[in-house]
Amino acid sequence: MHVIDSHTGGEPTRVILDGGPDLGSGPLTERAKKLATEHKAFYQSVVLEPRGQVAMVCALLVEPVDPDCVTGVIYFDAEAVLGMCGHGTIGLAVTLMHMGKIGLGPHKIETPAGVVTVDVKDANTVTVTNIESRRVESGVAVEIEGLGTVTGDIAYGGNWFYIVDSSPVPVTPAHIPELTQAAIQVREALNAKEERIDHVIFYGPALSENGHSRNFVLCPDDAYDRSPCGTGSSARLACLAAAGQLSEGEEIIQESVIGSTYRLSYTAGPKGGVIPSISGQAWVMAESKLIFAETDPFRAGITL
Ligand code: PYC
């Protein structure tokens, strides 16, 4: 299995070029469902240690249905198949550029959440125009032991997010273990009522002079996003727009918990949401061939 690894603002993406399971040629939503329900062992073997690593998101390349797209892609982490992935799409565009498959300028990519556009500015810099994103509920309160009442918005940006504007824990690298624990508690409390939330985001003040805010993003596999999270930033843009806190075309700089940044803005969407624009940078780190030896006791990954 040939793979190319990159990172976007510190968050790794492994693009799988060949050797994935046959998912058929139906709509990407159906192929993603098939991957999730019938091939968990395959996707965990690629992403889990020792072959992968805890923060990694994989991008399985598939034939697109839409002939205008340069590729189709299905993203997954160790726990879940994702509808879309912003950092992964920036990493994928930089990888396709590195391979000589695309050049500078705009290209369409098909994901299970819909068709997105990447505008490749240089070898490392990409702007993603995501699918229409929307706030679905605001002021949703949950009681969390040790934290008290936590209030946030539920929003969709290609994945489902619960977004807390004023983090119950300081959003700094030193607090990552507590942030992780608090976000897991929040996700479990919310999903005890209704299984919908796959990511939780806590927002705090920016640490840089030009930053709008800094975020901590908990992913489905309980790893935190090293990047500011493209789909999470899309959901957040929808919330800011719905609350009248950000105008169409206004640009903000979003910091991740480790200090990497995206430039974000939106235009109004046709269905009342927002069309997010996410600009970030990725670097290719490795081109490898993964080997799955029959005699390797951990060929399926370490599952504890
Ligand atoms: O950038 O959308 C994103 C993302 C989702 C999970 C990790 N990164």
Side-chain angles (χ1 to χ4, degrees):
M1 182 183 297
H2 290 96
V3 299
I4 297 186
D5 292 350
S6 62
H7 78 87
T8 308
E11 178 76 353
T13 304
R14 171 164 285 173
V15 176
I16 303 169
L17 302 174
D18 56 41
D22 180 7
L23 301 172
S25 56
L28 258 64
T29 44
E30 274 175 23
R31 284 187 255 174
K33 197 164 169 199
K34 195 164 186 183
L35 181 64
T37 53
E38 296 174 25
H39 299 284
K40 191 162 186 177
F42 153 75
Y43 72 75
Q44 289 198 326
S45 71
V46 182
V47 73
L48 284 176
E49 292 178 24
R51 207 171 275 107
Q53 57 120 311
V54 68
M56 184 173 270
V57 170
C58 290
L60 176 65
L61 299 190
V62 295
E63 270 304 307
V65 175
D66 181 341
D68 290 343
C69 292
V70 289
T71 187
V73 61
I74 302 175
Y75 296 106
F76 57 85
D77 70 9
E79 196 46 47
V81 173
L82 306 173
M84 207 332 245
C85 179
H87 94 266
T89 302
I90 295 171
L92 171 57
V94 163
T95 298
L96 294 175
M97 179 79 180
H98 167 83
M99 294 171 72
K101 299 258 184 215
I102 61 172
L104 299 177
H107 308 276
K108 288 183 177 178
I109 292 177
E110 190 168 336
T111 77
V115 172
V116 302
T117 303
V118 290
D119 191 0
V120 182
K121 309 283 187 192
D122 62 37
N124 303 104
T125 312
V126 176
T127 297
V128 179
T129 304
N130 196 7
I131 48 107
E132 182 161 357
S133 302
R134 59 189 195 279
R135 182 175 77 173
V136 175
E137 275 182 79
S138 69
V140 178
V142 270
E143 283 305 315
I144 306 293
E145 203 185 318
L147 294 177
T149 307
V150 175
T151 306
D153 292 351
I154 293 177
Y156 178 74
N159 296 302
W160 284 97
F161 292 86
Y162 180 71
I163 297 178
V164 179
D165 210 345
S166 188
S167 176
V169 178
V171 184
T172 67
H175 289 89
I176 287 172
E178 291 151 86
L179 287 160
T180 302
Q181 190 49 42
I184 291 172
Q185 282 179 272
V186 167
R187 185 188 62 208
E188 282 173 4
L190 287 162
N191 286 345
K193 292 188 224 156
E194 185 188 359
E195 274 286 333
R196 176 154 57 154
I197 304 304
D198 39 50
H199 296 69
V200 172
I201 313 188
F202 293 146
Y203 279 87
L207 297 185
S208 71
E209 207 182 307
N210 300 330
H212 172 270
S213 49
R214 181 167 280 236
N215 70 17
F216 170 87
V217 184
L218 182 79
C219 297
D221 58 4
D222 294 348
Y224 72 91
D225 197 333
R226 278 67 171 160
S227 81
C229 191
T231 51
S233 294
S234 301
R236 164 77 158 167
L237 285 168
C239 294
L240 291 173
Q245 292 170 1
L246 189 71
S247 318
E248 190 172 359
E250 198 181 330
E251 188 176 81
I252 57 172
I253 296 176
Q254 181 62 59
E255 299 171 6
S256 73
V257 68
I258 68 161
S260 54
T261 57
Y262 285 160
R263 304 185 88 87
L264 306 175
S265 62
Y266 72 89
T267 55
K271 295 182 191 148
V274 301
I275 306 291
S277 167
I278 306 139
S279 297
Q281 290 195 302
W283 282 266
V284 169
M285 301 184 289
E287 294 184 39
S288 337
K289 182 176 159 190
L290 304 186
I291 296 169
F292 297 81
E294 291 289 347
T295 51
D296 178 354
F298 292 110
R299 72 195 288 267
I302 301 172
T303 48
L304 296 179

